Each structure stands twice: as structure tokens, then as C-alpha cells.
């Protein structure tokens, strides 16, 4: 009896393309107990720098986790249930943006796709300061994932 096709590992280029095509993934950080903390996050992928960026607020538990234990990973579902990418690496959290248009605020703005960026940046920057937004940067050291060649 045939068990069907086996999952095939994806190349680094295919994994990067899958990260580029996605916008949401499951970020895994490490709790003080050693257990994983999982949360769905909007992300921005920079394939040249191999850095994933996430916008969050300074009071979120994931920021505490990253500052204490910087190992983290992101799981991104592929275009079907048979494919995925995982990016693992060292994470860091910036300090909150404190002045409209500061470096952290500009980094937050750069994470928005160009077609969705606000025409007037000042209200965006002011909102980021009011929310005490930070950037979590995941510097990717390892990419892995698979796809299953299944004809629908």
C-alpha cells in the first residue's frame, strides 16, 4: 500500500520567497518556565538582511520573553496545508519610540508596504509614540520547511 509522496525540503530561496509572500505567522518566544509562548503576528521580512520585524507594544509579554531569552522562531504557513517555513534565530526588542519620527518610529513606518503607508506620516508617528510601540527584530540564523508535491 502506497503512503503517497513524502515532504520535500524547500531550498533557502524557496523559503525566503514563502516568507516574502506571507504577512502573518506564529511567533514563538520562550517563557521563564522554558515552555513556548505562541502568538500570531504580522511581520515584515528583509531577505537581504535576513531579518524579520514585528511591531508590538512595550508592555507585551513577548517583549519580556525576548529580552530575557533571545531565542525565537516564526512559523509561516505556505500556500497550502502541505507547505511551511520556519525561521529561527536571535531576537531583540528596541526601546519604545519616544518622539514622532525617531529611529524606531521610522523603522515601524518602513515595515508598512509602500502602497499602504500613510500620506501624512506625523499622525502615524504620534500614534506609535502614544502606544509605546517597539520593534522586535528576529535575526534569522536558520530557515527550514517543506512542501508536498500533491496534485489537487
Amino acid at each position: 500500500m502506497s503512503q503517497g509522496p513524502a515532504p520535500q525540503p524547500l531550498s533557502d530561496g524557496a523559503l525566503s520567497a514563502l516568507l516574502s509572500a506571507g504577512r502573518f505567522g506564529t511567533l514563538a518566544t520562550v517563557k521563564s518556565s522554558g515552555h513556548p509562548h505562541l502568538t500570531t503576528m504580522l511581520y515584515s521580512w528583509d531577505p537581504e538582511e535576513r531579518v524579520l520585524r514585528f511591531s508590538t507594544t512595550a508592555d507585551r509579554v513577548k517583549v519580556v520573553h525576548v529580552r530575557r531569552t533571545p531565542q525565537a522562531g516564526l512559523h509561516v504557513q505556505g500556500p497550502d496545508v502541505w507547505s511551511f517555513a520556519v525561521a529561527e534565530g536571535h531576537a531583540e526588542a528596541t526601546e519604545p519610540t519616544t518622539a514622532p519620527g525617531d529611529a524606531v518610529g521610522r523603522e515601524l513606518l518602513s515595515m508598512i508596504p509602500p502602497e499602504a503607508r500613510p500620506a501624512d506620516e506625523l499622525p502615524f508617528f504620534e500614534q506609535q509614540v502614544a502606544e509605546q510601540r517597539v520593534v522586535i527584530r528576529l535575526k534569522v540564523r536558520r530557515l527550514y520547511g517543506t512542501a508536498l508535491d500533491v496534485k489537487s
Side-chain angles (χ1 to χ4, degrees), residues 23-31 35-43 52-57 60-66 72-77 87 133 136 138:
R23 297 288 295 147
F24 289 94
T26 303
L27 178 65
T29 57
V30 182
K31 296 180 186 181
H35 293 92
H37 173 264
L38 304 171
T39 186
T40 302
M41 296 285 295
L42 181 67
Y43 70 88
L52 288 156
R53 288 181 172 85
F54 309 87
S55 170
T56 191
T57 56
R60 297 295 173 106
V61 71
K62 65 184 115 332
V63 174
V64 173
H65 294 165
V66 163
L74 179 74
H75 174 274
V76 175
Q77 184 68 46
R133 288 270 160 189
I136 294 177
L138 176 58

Side-chain angles (χ1 to χ4, degrees), residues 83-148:
S83 60
F84 69 92
V86 174
E88 295 177 339
H90 181 90
E92 62 187 22
T94 67
E95 291 303 315
T97 179
T98 57
D102 65 9
V104 174
R106 293 256 168 227
E107 187 171 3
L108 289 160
L109 180 64
S110 76
M111 295 166 56
I112 299 172
E115 66 277 4
R117 288 190 187 148
D120 184 2
E121 296 175 354
L122 185 57
F124 170 84
F125 290 136
E126 291 171 339
Q127 179 180 358
Q128 303 309 293
V129 170
E131 294 175 359
Q132 294 193 308
R133 288 270 160 189
V134 302
V135 175
I136 294 177
R137 296 183 201 109
L138 176 58
K139 296 176 181 180
V140 176
R141 294 183 176 159
R142 180 175 180 231
L143 276 176
Y144 63 91
T146 61
L148 197 59

Side-chain angles (χ1 to χ4, degrees), residues 10-23 43 45 47 76 79 85 143:
L10 294 172
S11 70
D12 197 71
L15 291 163
S16 183
L18 199 152
L19 290 173
S20 292
R23 297 288 295 147
Y43 70 88
W45 169 238
V76 175
L143 276 176

Side-chain angles (χ1 to χ4, degrees), residues 7-8 77-84 146-150:
Q8 299 299 311
Q77 184 68 46
D80 55 58
V81 298
W82 308 111
S83 60
F84 69 92
T146 61
L148 197 59
D149 188 14
V150 176

